[in-house]
Amino acid sequence: MNTAVKENVVAVIPPRRKPAEPAAPAAEEKVLEAGSKDITGKVESIIIETEDDYGEAAEYGKRVKAQIKAVKDYWKPLKENAAKAHKEICAREKEMLAPLQEAESTLKGAMSSYLMEQEKKRLEQEERMRRLQEAEAERLLNEAVESERNGDAEEAAARMEYAETLATATTVVQGTPTPKVSGVSTSTDWEIESIDASKVPTEVAGVIIRPVDEAAVKRLIRMSKGAVQIPGVVYKKTTKISLGRS
């Protein structure tokens, strides 16, 4: 006796995963954060009206300084590890990019050289046309003088006018148009070949070309104990407070 077995296929849908939540801060970080909130909260309520208040504020200042050090000490190794990882990633990225950037530079150089060569040919052709134009103008001028000697004033005037037209005309040769390629653009630029720093002025056409060294200005003010007057520099006397750690 044959017994038929019925098979049912059931699709099982896995439960939807919740988005990953940010990792909870370490216990030490929680303690530091709580301590910082406690200190800052108390500092906000401090009012200095007496010498005792001033002394109390100074003590809290020491606590703040100590807390700052504790926070920095906590994050220092984490930052160092992150910096090391970042440095390694950047080094690998640089290694991979180097040949591509060199290839890009090679292509740009070749394309630029092609365009510069086309422009050079255009300028050379323009110069040849200009010289031919000058020679033709000189020939017409000589013929005008000869016609004048032969008594043909009308012919002389006509040749003189044509010679003057050629002499003052501007010769422009249209070069090969720059190839139109999607994603490629060109612009005119200038490249510095050498600089003689001893001859570079501080200002050119109203533009400052030497950077102002702010650190040097501060050193000068401190050396003069606030007596120096520097055009364009405004400064004031302040009191600097330094706090030690408890």
Side-chain angles (χ1 to χ4, degrees):
M1 178 176 177
N2 292 331
T3 303
V5 178
K6 185 178 182 181
E7 182 177 294
N8 295 325
V9 179
V10 180
V12 179
I13 301 176
R16 180 179 297 177
R17 294 181 179 180
K18 295 182 179 180
E21 297 181 355
E28 184 180 355
E29 184 179 337
K30 287 184 176 180
V31 171
L32 283 172
E33 189 173 8
S36 298
K37 288 181 179 179
D38 179 63
I39 292 174
T40 55
K42 291 179 179 178
V43 167
E44 290 175 358
S45 64
I46 290 178
I47 299 176
I48 302 176
E49 296 179 338
T50 66
E51 289 187 11
D52 290 341
D53 294 339
Y54 184 88
E56 183 181 358
E59 289 302 319
Y60 268 104
K62 294 176 183 179
R63 289 184 59 187
V64 170
K65 196 74 174 180
Q67 188 71 4
I68 289 174
K69 182 180 184 302
V71 171
K72 287 184 176 180
D73 289 346
Y74 170 75
W75 287 108
K76 183 178 179 181
L78 300 176
K79 287 163 59 178
E80 288 175 347
N81 290 336
K84 182 180 178 182
H86 180 264
K87 184 177 181 180
E88 292 174 353
I89 292 171
C90 289
R92 181 56 180 153
E93 178 190 35
K94 183 178 180 180
E95 182 182 352
M96 293 179 67
L97 286 175
L100 295 172
Q101 291 170 335
E102 184 177 352
E104 180 185 24
S105 179
T106 300
L107 285 173
K108 287 181 178 179
M111 293 168 71
S112 176
S113 295
Y114 168 78
L115 295 179
M116 292 298 293
E117 182 63 24
Q118 298 305 307
E119 177 63 8
K120 180 182 177 182
K121 291 178 181 179
R122 187 190 72 79
L123 292 175
E124 289 174 349
Q125 179 63 17
E126 197 170 273
E127 178 62 17
R128 285 193 293 271
M129 295 295 293
R130 187 188 64 79
R131 289 179 180 178
L132 289 174
Q133 187 173 295
E134 287 182 350
E136 180 64 9
E138 185 175 356
R139 184 185 69 79
L140 289 170
L141 182 60
N142 291 333
E143 288 182 355
V145 172
E146 186 65 24
S147 296
E148 183 71 26
R149 288 175 180 172
N150 295 332
D152 192 345
E154 185 177 349
E155 181 66 18
R159 291 184 180 277
M160 179 69 72
E161 182 179 358
Y162 190 23
E164 290 177 352
T165 300
L166 284 177
T168 57
T170 301
T171 301
V172 177
V173 174
Q174 296 296 330
T176 304
T178 301
K180 300 295 183 181
V181 181
S182 177
V184 178
S185 62
T186 62
S187 62
T188 303
D189 197 6
W190 294 265
E191 183 178 291
I192 297 175
E193 293 184 337
S194 65
I195 295 177
D196 187 346
S198 65
K199 296 180 180 179
V200 177
T202 302
E203 180 179 324
V204 175
V207 178
I208 303 298
I209 58 176
R210 288 185 184 273
V212 177
D213 189 341
E214 186 175 333
V217 171
K218 288 183 178 179
R219 287 196 299 269
L220 183 59
I221 294 172
R222 288 169 182 160
M223 288 174 59
S224 68
K225 296 183 179 180
V228 67
Q229 297 295 321
I230 307 174
V233 177
V234 179
Y235 60 93
K236 66 178 181 179
K237 183 178 180 180
T238 62
T239 299
K240 183 178 180 180
I241 304 289
S242 296
L243 300 172
R245 296 189 297 270
S246 59

